[in-house]
Every structure is written in structure tokens, then in C-alpha cells.
Amino acid sequence: MMESNVSQPSKRGKLTKHDVRKIGLMSIFNQSQMNYQLMQAGGWTLAILPALKKIYGKDKKGLSAAMKGNLEFMNTNNYAAPLLMGLEMSLEENGESRSTIDGLRVALFGPLAGIGGCDYLVYYFTNCGWYYSIFC
């Protein structure tokens, strides 16, 4: 049987509304450490690090595994990042395995980056054009 580096869910810290708001505000720094090797991984980890510290508490191995997992290549839509951070923190808080969390990142974060960026710009410019044409 394989040993897990993840602590049991009952021993994990719980996030409050304040913690969730802090994640949302820290998501502003999502592209603060942008590079072509890891894309948004540094900023993403910076934004969720306070929540990870609260969830893992004194479990240094669990925190280390979570940080290593979040410092892998990551790219998504900045407008959806707070929602995705909340999804990931929910999985971390409930004690899901690292493979489940990584699967969410692969299956959802990347495709959302491609779809979300185009949709936002199309809606934004269409609505701005309509709005400003009223004043012409």
C-alpha cells in the first residue's frame, strides 16, 4: 500500500470568508512572476500560499507537496483565476489527493484560458462599441 504525503482531512485547517477574500485580492498578482517556463505558476502560488499555510498548519511535508504541485507549469484566464483558486483550495481543504488536484489543473485551467480570453474580449468590445455608438 502506498503512503500518502497528504494529512488527513480532519486535521486540516478550515478557511474563513476572510481567507477566501484574501485569495481573491491576491489573485491580482497572478501574473507578477510570469515567465515562459512556468507561465503563471509563481504568481498563482504566491496568491494561494497564505491559504495553504492555514490549511496545512504544522504539516510541513503536505505544504511542501502542495507548493511543489502549484509551482509546475500553469496558465489560465486571469478573469477566472479567483474562481479556480477557490476550487483548488476547496479540494486542498477537503483532503483530496494531489493527483486529483493536478487532474483539475490539466483538465480545466488550460482550456479555460483559451476559451475565456477570447470570450471576454469579444463581449467587452462588442458591448463597448454598442454603448459608445449611442453617443455618436
Side-chain angles (χ1 to χ4, degrees), residues 26-78:
M26 293 289 288
S27 70
I28 294 169
F29 301 108
N30 196 24
Q31 289 191 321
S32 64
Q33 299 175 1
M34 181 78 164
N35 62 51
Y36 290 112
Q37 183 180 5
L38 300 175
M39 299 298 274
Q40 298 170 333
W44 183 274
T45 305
L46 174 69
I48 64 172
L49 188 58
L52 286 175
K53 285 181 178 178
K54 185 168 184 179
I55 290 170
Y56 285 99
K58 295 181 180 180
D59 181 12
K60 298 289 184 185
K61 288 185 179 181
L63 178 61
S64 175
M67 287 178 63
K68 284 180 185 175
N70 282 299
L71 284 172
E72 293 178 7
F73 178 85
M74 212 291 289
N75 187 24
T76 192
N77 182 353
N78 282 329

Side-chain angles (χ1 to χ4, degrees), residues 10-135:
S10 61
K11 295 182 181 179
R12 292 197 176 195
K14 296 294 182 187
L15 298 178
T16 63
K17 285 184 179 183
H18 174 74
D19 298 323
V20 174
R21 286 188 190 110
K22 189 173 183 179
I23 291 170
L25 288 174
M26 293 289 288
S27 70
I28 294 169
F29 301 108
N30 196 24
Q31 289 191 321
S32 64
Q33 299 175 1
M34 181 78 164
N35 62 51
Y36 290 112
Q37 183 180 5
L38 300 175
M39 299 298 274
Q40 298 170 333
W44 183 274
T45 305
L46 174 69
I48 64 172
L49 188 58
L52 286 175
K53 285 181 178 178
K54 185 168 184 179
I55 290 170
Y56 285 99
K58 295 181 180 180
D59 181 12
K60 298 289 184 185
K61 288 185 179 181
L63 178 61
S64 175
M67 287 178 63
K68 284 180 185 175
N70 282 299
L71 284 172
E72 293 178 7
F73 178 85
M74 212 291 289
N75 187 24
T76 192
N77 182 353
N78 282 329
Y79 306 112
L83 170 71
L84 298 173
M85 287 177 184
L87 284 172
E88 184 175 344
M89 289 302 97
S90 175
L91 292 174
E92 293 278 1
E93 190 176 30
N94 291 319
E96 295 295 331
S97 67
R98 179 62 32 204
S99 62
T100 302
I101 295 169
D102 290 342
L104 174 78
R105 291 168 57 107
V106 169
L108 187 60
F109 291 17
L112 193 60
I115 295 170
C118 296
D119 285 349
Y120 175 77
L121 291 175
V122 167
Y123 295 138
Y124 176 77
F125 288 122
T126 302
N127 289 330
C128 283
W130 173 83
Y131 179 75
Y132 291 122
S133 69
I134 294 172
F135 297 110

